[in-house]
Amino acid sequence: MITFGYCIAYVENVEQSLEFFEKAFSMKRRFLHETHTYGELDTGQTVLAFANFSMADGHFPNGYVRADNPIPLGMEIALVTDDVTAAHIAALAAGGVEVSKPSQKPWGQVVSYVRAPNGVLVELCSPMG
């Protein structure tokens, strides 16, 4: 059996990335390596992690698209919340950049998008069903 263990976003500053998610979404820091090149947040069954661009450079010698590209990367981190509007406001107050305001979707969810200061695209959404 294969399970989803963690998502790693490669960023310029790991500690600042952890701090944004802690401040904006009240997530708890699980781990920060002493070199500050890798850190994790406790998000439940899976782990949201950040690693410095220097690690990505070593893993991907042919290059990669950085999350801080002016155009959002073609993937997102989705955070489920009962109050999308409050989470959206908190993300902006913590330094996030608005991509789209909270809106009701035809399938029933309320969804908004922000970019974290590190460039990672974050979907804030209400639970399905």
Side-chain angles (χ1 to χ4, degrees):
M1 180 170 124
I2 295 176
T3 61
F4 182 59
Y6 51 90
C7 173
I8 301 173
Y10 294 97
V11 298
E12 182 70 36
N13 189 307
V14 171
E15 188 163 23
Q16 285 178 355
S17 296
L18 295 172
E19 289 170 355
F20 170 76
F21 280 82
E22 289 169 330
K23 182 177 179 184
F25 308 119
S26 300
M27 292 183 170
K28 302 291 183 214
R29 188 176 304 198
R30 179 172 148 163
F31 173 76
L32 177 61
H33 190 269
E34 63 189 28
T35 62
H36 291 229
T37 58
Y38 180 82
E40 300 176 345
L41 293 166
D42 186 0
T43 61
Q45 287 187 304
T46 58
V47 174
L48 176 56
F50 300 96
N52 186 266
F53 287 134
S54 62
M55 292 182 79
D57 294 338
H59 295 320
F60 313 113
N62 294 324
Y64 58 96
V65 178
R66 290 172 48 145
D68 62 358
N69 189 303
I71 298 171
L73 190 60
M75 67 160 294
E76 64 185 50
I77 294 169
L79 301 177
V80 180
T81 177
D82 289 329
D83 192 341
V84 173
T85 299
H88 187 87
I89 291 167
L92 299 180
V97 176
E98 185 172 75
V99 175
S100 67
K101 296 180 183 310
S103 65
Q104 183 80 36
K105 298 299 181 187
W107 53 89
Q109 275 185 304
V110 175
V111 175
S112 77
Y113 291 93
V114 298
R115 283 187 82 181
N118 59 21
V120 170
L121 183 61
V122 179
E123 174 186 345
L124 301 168
C125 59
S126 59
M128 286 292 292

